[in-house]
Amino acid sequence: MRTHYIADAAKLDDGAEVTVAGWLHEVRDLKKICFVVLRDKTGKIQVTAKNGITSPESLENLRQPKETVVSVSGKIARGKGANAGIELLADKVEVLGRVYGKVPFDITEKDKIPSLDVRLDNRHIDLRRDEIQAIFRVRGTVQQAFREYLLENGFEEIVPTAIVGAATEGGAELFPIVYFEKEAFLAQSPQLYKQMAVVGGMDKIFMQCLVYRAEPHSTTTHLNEAYQMDIEMGFANDDDVMDVEEAVLIHILRAVAERRKHELEVLNSHVTVPDKVPRYTYSKIIEMLQADGEKIEWGDDFTRAHEEKIGKLVGQEAYFITKWPTKVRAFYSMPSPDNPEICNSFDLIYRGLEISSGAQRIHDPELLTQQIRARGMNPENFEFYIRAFRSGAPPHAGWSIGAERITMKICNLNNIREATLYPRDRMRLTP
Ligand code: AMO
């Protein structure tokens, strides 16, 4: 239905014949002549239609409400002089999609953009704004760069199941589903399944999947449906997988900085690519916070305010916090051999927010059973998982990055819902 996208049409010589298609962004109707701005995903162009050049029927097809979808065939006209614009002189205009009634809000009135809730109720309109498309292009590049790096470095992609019979992260945050006669839930993570794939000998794997957390609270950094980008690696400990994660993060940030310059500009964000992602132990961070006057004890988890403070104290945008207290981490985290109070787990913080966590896993079935029991869960529900470690399981480790959280921080957004096309939270199930 088009010969060119608008950005490409605008590069053509004077007189070039094109057909472009998109939405009416602005319409100025002066009876004998009609100026409109036509918009597609690549940009905008002024279209001029007038008696003599444009047929009366085509002129009428351009005199439509904003957001009507049209195609325009005509000739490119380049004005003379340095600041002269480019316009498309319309021969033929067809209406491809009409506006019925009132468009929920006008994207051209920048100071009248409604609240996030109203925008999300009308995501198909909200998405027509440059800055909103920019977010999802950045997110696409983040996800692509993640796969790209891992495929180039010997990892293979798997697809784990999203329907499970037991918690994969522990806790009560599970969404039950109707599954014939059985008790079943939506997976909180691909955790147990990615580990079993490594035990099965796949060795270096990655996956991207939607995960479900029935967290009842509403925050600006949590969703009930999130997209995780995970790896799992055999014959590896926490340090080995942090090496991979450091390289993946650097590759992602570089890809966004190089390939999404325009989008970052639209979003008013600047991405710096670090050379290294330093590692600090949990105990060291506690000492630093205490020395700065924070009331926090060894064993406490960090609040959002702590996370932001730590960023200032360490003076880094991206860093790892390693060797956490065992009791605050998931049951599968490997306790340290010299001190079982701490475990080989880590978080990756970027711009003051935890964007990822990971660990070396327990591969000893007895220790795993103990840890499950110690958290008040029933090892019988995990028998399918524990038995995987009884037939020769290598030491292994892995991590998971939340796609929305990393996108949110790269794009400088205040609410994680902005980085999700159709966010799911306690109040929001449609659209
Ligand atoms: P964790 O639960 O820390 O670890 O999740 C890993 C990353 O996933 C993202 N994330 C979320 N994002 C938005 N809303 C949520 N409710 C949400 N929950 C998690 C975050 C977080 O850092 N299986 C382990 C990982 C591993 O050890 O491999 C896990 O799921 O960015």
Side-chain angles (χ1 to χ4, degrees):
M1 291 180 195
R2 53 161 74 90
T3 60
H4 294 80
Y5 275 117
I6 287 174
D8 298 326
K11 289 181 200 145
L12 298 176
D13 292 337
D14 195 54
E17 292 197 14
V18 296
T19 300
V20 292
W23 287 261
L24 295 181
H25 188 69
E26 300 276 8
V27 181
R28 198 147 65 89
D29 182 8
L30 307 173
K31 302 303 162 213
K32 285 192 182 144
I33 184 161
C34 183
F35 298 109
V36 307
V37 175
L38 188 71
R39 182 189 76 236
D40 71 13
K41 72 168 194 169
T42 65
K44 302 186 191 83
I45 193 164
Q46 171 160 312
V47 177
T48 306
K50 52 186 165 193
N51 283 340
I53 299 181
T54 320
S55 71
E57 189 197 346
S58 287
L59 204 57
E60 214 38 53
N61 284 345
L62 218 46
R63 291 195 171 112
Q64 297 296 325
K66 285 186 188 180
E67 300 306 321
T68 300
V69 176
V70 299
S71 70
V72 181
S73 304
K75 288 195 183 62
I76 294 291
R78 294 185 162 274
K80 306 245 169 346
N83 294 327
I86 292 156
E87 57 178 349
L88 175 60
L89 299 177
D91 295 328
K92 187 170 167 224
V93 180
E94 272 185 72
V95 174
L96 303 177
R98 288 191 186 278
V99 166
Y100 299 91
K102 200 169 173 305
V103 175
F105 62 94
D106 184 345
I107 64 162
T108 65
E109 293 193 38
K110 291 227 184 293
D111 49 347
K112 290 198 189 137
I113 298 298
S115 66
L116 182 58
D117 253 350
V118 175
R119 286 174 40 213
L120 291 175
D121 287 342
N122 299 284
R123 204 46 149 167
H124 59 291
I125 303 295
D126 194 40
L127 200 52
R128 295 181 189 179
R129 298 159 61 209
D130 285 350
E131 54 272 45
I132 308 305
Q133 287 202 9
I135 297 170
F136 294 102
R137 296 217 177 97
V138 168
R139 179 167 166 174
T141 301
V142 166
Q143 293 174 198
Q144 184 190 343
F146 164 83
R147 303 182 81 239
E148 199 169 78
Y149 180 89
L150 292 167
L151 284 172
E152 280 163 16
N153 286 278
F155 284 76
E156 281 159 323
E157 183 162 13
I158 63 156
V159 181
T161 178
I163 301 177
V164 297
T168 55
E169 295 300 315
E173 291 150 357
L174 285 161
F175 282 116
I177 57 168
V178 177
Y179 194 79
F180 305 107
E181 302 75 35
K182 290 192 158 50
E183 186 174 54
F185 310 95
L186 293 175
Q188 293 164 301
S189 71
Q191 185 63 38
L192 312 186
Y193 299 89
K194 64 176 180 169
Q195 285 185 251
M196 290 191 290
V198 166
V199 170
M202 287 207 66
D203 213 50
K204 286 166 84 177
I205 50 169
F206 75 92
M207 69 229 71
Q208 307 197 43
C209 31
L210 285 168
V211 299
Y212 297 87
R213 309 265 170 118
E215 288 152 356
H217 51 270
S218 165
T219 80
T220 54
T221 52
H222 288 86
L223 294 163
N224 293 117
E225 179 186 59
Y227 199 61
Q228 288 191 329
M229 307 190 290
D230 278 49
I231 75 152
E232 198 68 23
M233 193 171 157
F235 304 91
N237 64 18
D238 45 338
D239 277 317
D240 299 322
V241 292
M242 274 190 275
D243 290 345
V244 177
E245 186 157 33
E246 173 169 353
V248 166
L249 179 72
I250 290 173
H251 184 74
I252 290 176
L253 295 177
R254 184 170 299 126
V256 172
E258 286 174 1
R259 302 175 207 168
R260 293 294 176 200
K261 287 196 177 75
H262 168 73
E263 286 76 6
L264 291 175
E265 206 175 289
V266 168
L267 291 161
N268 210 0
S269 176
H270 181 77
V271 169
T272 347
V273 184
D275 310 325
K276 276 219 73 63
V277 179
R279 299 170 197 185
Y280 302 89
T281 63
Y282 167 89
S283 301
K284 174 80 192 154
I285 297 284
I286 292 286
E287 277 170 29
M288 287 165 82
L289 284 172
Q290 286 171 340
D292 199 64
E294 290 288 328
K295 286 201 174 48
I296 186 164
E297 297 299 326
W298 196 95
D300 293 347
D301 207 346
F302 302 123
T303 61
R304 289 280 304 109
H306 287 140
E307 283 175 352
E308 280 172 20
K309 176 81 157 275
I310 300 164
K312 294 196 183 95
L313 292 174
V314 302
Q316 303 283 340
E317 275 196 333
Y319 58 93
F320 288 102
I321 303 180
T322 67
K323 309 285 179 201
W324 286 70
T326 308
K327 67 171 196 240
V328 302
R329 302 299 285 206
F331 64 86
Y332 47 73
S333 313
M334 176 69 103
S336 168
D338 338 315
N339 175 4
E341 297 287 297
I342 50 180
C343 63
N344 291 349
S345 69
F346 56 89
D347 278 357
L348 172 59
I349 316 291
Y350 179 61
R351 295 189 169 170
L353 180 68
E354 174 214 308
I355 59 159
S356 168
S357 68
Q360 180 182 352
R361 325 298 186 183
I362 298 173
H363 63 289
D364 174 295
E366 287 322 306
L367 182 56
L368 191 56
T369 309
Q370 270 173 33
Q371 292 294 326
I372 291 174
R373 216 172 261 133
R375 281 165 174 80
M377 294 183 292
N378 183 356
E380 278 171 26
N381 293 338
F382 293 88
E383 186 46 30
F384 71 95
Y385 168 66
I386 301 170
R387 70 190 276 272
F389 301 99
R390 293 200 188 107
S391 308
H396 60 286
W399 46 256
S400 168
I401 300 177
E404 297 85 2
R405 288 214 183 158
I406 185 172
T407 305
M408 169 187 179
K409 283 294 154 182
I410 289 177
C411 296
N412 261 339
L413 309 171
N414 295 323
N415 193 320
I416 194 165
R417 289 163 185 76
E418 297 261 15
T420 320
L421 209 42
Y422 289 99
R424 290 288 174 256
D425 62 28
R426 193 163 185 170
M427 307 312 290
R428 186 166 284 285
L429 188 56
T430 45

